[in-house]
């Protein structure tokens, strides 16, 4: 299996190189040269434990790592740092099936990939006989940052740098990041939004002068964002796993198609679902759910991607994104691998904030349904679902749930649906408590952890014990123009 860029016909690279680089030298994203079929394992899914399934899928994509290496990575990642032995349980509520992806150490689905990425990166570095220290450069909309810090903190031969939008993450997300220990970590708030932060980071990853300076000091950049295929591939696993759970619970018959709904920001998680479908997972519709930042809804409806609009701060901050990086991989695919066209579209996006796809490309997107939820709908549904079933969703998951309900009403499609449940409600206590009509006045987000727990009988996740009492290690806040110099300072180059 080799990987090539979406923007040029440069020679493909092996997976170990794609993982270490994170992004192609031409600014494009790496995509697998072919998608392996896994349809033969569908019937086996109910009997496969998460680790075994992960190893089987990773092996297909990371073919230059040895089977032994992959097993070691999987064993180290999916252990008891997840608070349930199933790793990704499926829970039914309100007629939908929630694939709970937030049982890892940082309480969001980002743990599913970021608890294995450091191991994949180390194995890849060994494979490439790399002597350089790997510097992970990360922009976060709230959850990637902590999950990446957790994964890379203290890992020899790596450093991890995280930039988050200073006023664009929840109090609890911020506390998780700024209290992170580890000599190899650096965290800074940026006066700007996620899009500003992500574009600065993407630019820096392929900046030639920076690249030279790094090399002189024996460093190399990589990315922990979902632009890195090492993030994306482990995310394919849980869609197969979720399908297996539906089979073993008797909710579907083998081969029966399901819908998958994903609360979407950077388009990474739903792209992994699309890859699962391409590999033979029986999927009818992929339901792409946005919050009020509904660029993707417009895109699926009109075939025009237009980020020229104000970014709206919502109660699902990890989806407050106007430039969904991974969409580039999908439009490359539906352009029938037309690198020139994708390059020109991405240039348009950079300079004018907009691009149009062709009618043919749009026709090939019929497997997707785009929808969005406004704040009042997402809030109302958290309260309503709880009242009806006792199930508590976080704000992001509620966006997907809301869109699923709208989709069902609109189309009458009654296909069994798996909703990617992306974060623990305890990460967004103020919003969730408000939605549940619990008193929030005069209480901090941290105090509301107990309020939420006491009123819903859900246990407080261990990761949040005393989160407000931990010393703040990272106090830096910078202007977005200073991201490059902050990196240089931390690395002393
Ligand atoms: C990152 C994140 C998302 C969006 O996922 P993408 O892969 O960026 O589309 C949704 N919900 C939560 C809780 C997240 O942390």
């Amino acid at each position: 299996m080799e990987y090539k860029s979406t923007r040029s016909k440069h020679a493909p690279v092996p997976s170990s190189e794609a993982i270490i680089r994170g992004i192609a030298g031409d600014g494009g994203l790496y995509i697998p040269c072919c998608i392996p079929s896994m349809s033969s394992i569908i019937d086996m899914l109910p009997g496969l434990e998460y680790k075994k399934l992960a190893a089987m899928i990773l092996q297909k994509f990371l073919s230059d790592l040895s089977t032994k290496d992959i097993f070691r990575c999987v064993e180290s990642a999916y252990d008891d740092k997840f608070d349930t032995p199933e790793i990704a349980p499926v829970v039914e509520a309100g007629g939908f099936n929630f694939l709970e992806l937030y049982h890892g150490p940082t309480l969001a689905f980002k743990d599913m990939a970021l608890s294995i990425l450091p191991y994949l990166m180390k194995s890849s570095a060994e494979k490439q006989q790399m002597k350089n220290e790997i510097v992970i450069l990360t922009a976060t909309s709230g959850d990637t940052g902590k999950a990446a810090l957790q994964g890379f903190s203290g890992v020899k031969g790596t450093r991890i740098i995280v930039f988050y939008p200073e006023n664009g993450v929840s109090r609890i997300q911020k506390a998780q990041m700024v209290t992170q220990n580890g000599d190899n970590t650096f965290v800074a708030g940026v006066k700007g939004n996620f899009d500003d932060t992500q574009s600065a980071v993407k630019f820096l990853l392929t900046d030639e002068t920076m690249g030279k300076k790094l090399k002189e000091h024996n460093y190399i950049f990589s990315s922990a964002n979902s632009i890195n295929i090492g993030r994306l591939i482990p995310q394919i696993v849980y869609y197969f796993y979720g399908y297996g759970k539906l089979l073993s619970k008797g909710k579907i018959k083998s081969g029966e198609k399901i819908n998958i709904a994903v609360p979407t920001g950077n388009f990474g998680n739903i792209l992994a679902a699309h890859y699962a479908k391409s590999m033979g997972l029986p999927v009818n519709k992929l339901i792409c759910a946005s919050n009020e930042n509904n660029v993707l809804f417009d895109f699926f409806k009109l075939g025009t991607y237009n980020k020229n609009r104000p970014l709206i701060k919502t109660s699902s901050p990890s989806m407050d994104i106007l430039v969904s990086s991974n969409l580039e991989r999908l439009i490359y695919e539906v352009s029938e691998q037309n690198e020139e066209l994708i390059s020109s579209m991405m240039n348009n996006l950079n300079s004018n904030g907009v691009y149009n796809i062709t009618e043919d490309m749009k026709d090939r997107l019929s497997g997707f349904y785009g929808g969005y939820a406004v704040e009042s709908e997402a809030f109302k549904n958290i309260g309503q679902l709880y009242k009806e079933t006792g199930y508590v969703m976080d704000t992001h998951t509620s966006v997907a749930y809301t869109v699923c309900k709208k989709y069902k009403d609109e189309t009458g499609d009654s296909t069994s649906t798996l909703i990617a449940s992306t974060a623990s409600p305890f990460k967004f206590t103020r919003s969730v408590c408000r939605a549940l009509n619990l008193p929030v006045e005069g209480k901090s987000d941290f105090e509301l952890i107990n309020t939420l727990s006491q009123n819903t009988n859900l246990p407080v996740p261990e990761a949040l014990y005393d989160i407000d009492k931990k010393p703040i290690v990272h106090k830096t806040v910078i202007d977005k123009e200073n991201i490059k110099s902050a990196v240089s300072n931390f690395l002393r180059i």
Side-chain angles (χ1 to χ4, degrees), residues 21-35:
R21 288 178 176 273
I23 188 168
D26 55 23
L29 305 188
Y30 284 116
I31 49 131
C33 287
C34 62
I35 299 284

Side-chain angles (χ1 to χ4, degrees), residues 123-135:
S123 296
S124 299
E126 279 163 26
K127 180 78 198 173
Q128 294 279 318
Q129 300 182 323
M130 258 228 343
K131 300 281 180 290
N132 306 41
E133 192 166 349
I134 302 174
V135 180

Side-chain angles (χ1 to χ4, degrees), residues 87-307:
I87 308 295
V90 171
V91 178
E92 194 198 326
F96 294 103
N97 302 286
F98 292 87
L99 175 62
E100 294 186 348
L101 302 173
Y102 57 78
H103 289 277
T106 76
L107 311 178
F109 89 92
K110 306 293 199 297
D111 286 325
M112 302 301 294
L114 281 163
S115 45
I116 194 165
L117 185 64
Y119 299 103
L120 295 177
M121 211 160 271
K122 281 211 91 163
S123 296
S124 299
E126 279 163 26
K127 180 78 198 173
Q128 294 279 318
Q129 300 182 323
M130 258 228 343
K131 300 281 180 290
N132 306 41
E133 192 166 349
I134 302 174
V135 180
I136 311 292
L137 203 54
T138 302
T140 183
S141 59
D143 289 326
T144 291
K146 178 61 184 183
L149 287 163
Q150 181 88 21
F152 283 97
S153 161
V155 174
K156 272 211 177 102
T158 72
R159 290 181 184 228
I160 163 100
I161 300 177
V162 172
F163 294 107
Y164 66 92
E166 200 214 351
N167 295 314
V169 301
S170 84
R171 292 287 299 274
I172 292 172
Q173 287 177 316
K174 183 170 171 179
Q176 282 183 306
M177 290 188 277
V178 298
T179 58
Q180 175 69 47
N181 286 317
D183 291 342
N184 66 334
T185 65
F186 176 79
V187 181
V190 176
K191 293 181 196 154
N193 60 40
F194 173 73
D195 290 316
D196 299 327
T197 313
Q198 168 159 265
S199 67
V201 161
K202 271 173 87 173
F203 179 79
L204 211 49
L205 283 169
T206 52
D207 183 49
E208 276 183 23
T209 49
M210 193 69 177
K212 273 198 198 119
K213 246 165 77 179
L214 287 172
K215 219 168 172 182
E216 283 165 21
H217 292 83
N218 216 25
Y219 289 121
I220 181 171
F221 273 153
S222 187
S223 167
N225 286 102
S226 52
I227 55 174
N228 193 324
I229 56 119
R231 261 286 296 279
L232 225 42
I233 293 163
Q235 294 180 183
I236 297 171
V237 177
Y238 45 74
Y239 292 110
F240 279 89
Y241 187 76
Y243 189 90
K245 285 275 157 199
L246 292 180
L247 276 178
S248 54
K249 287 169 190 267
K251 304 231 180 254
I252 54 169
K253 290 198 274 302
S254 186
E256 185 177 331
K257 286 187 177 176
I258 61 167
N259 292 334
I260 296 177
V262 185
T264 294
N266 222 0
F267 209 76
N269 205 6
I270 193 163
L271 188 72
H274 171 66
Y275 284 158
K277 181 180 181 182
S278 307
M279 291 162 72
L281 190 70
V283 174
N284 174 36
K285 283 280 176 201
L286 294 167
I287 298 173
C288 175
S290 304
N291 63 22
E292 290 178 15
N293 297 293
N294 55 1
V295 188
L296 288 165
F297 166 76
D298 289 344
F299 169 75
F300 283 112
K301 196 170 69 179
L302 306 169
T304 298
Y305 195 97
N306 188 349
K307 69 154 195 173

Side-chain angles (χ1 to χ4, degrees), residues 402-420:
T402 303
V403 170
C404 278
K405 292 223 305 190
K406 287 188 190 180
Y407 167 80
K408 218 171 152 178
D409 287 346
E410 218 173 89
T411 61
D413 181 4
S414 59
T415 305
S416 296
T417 299
L418 203 55
I419 295 178

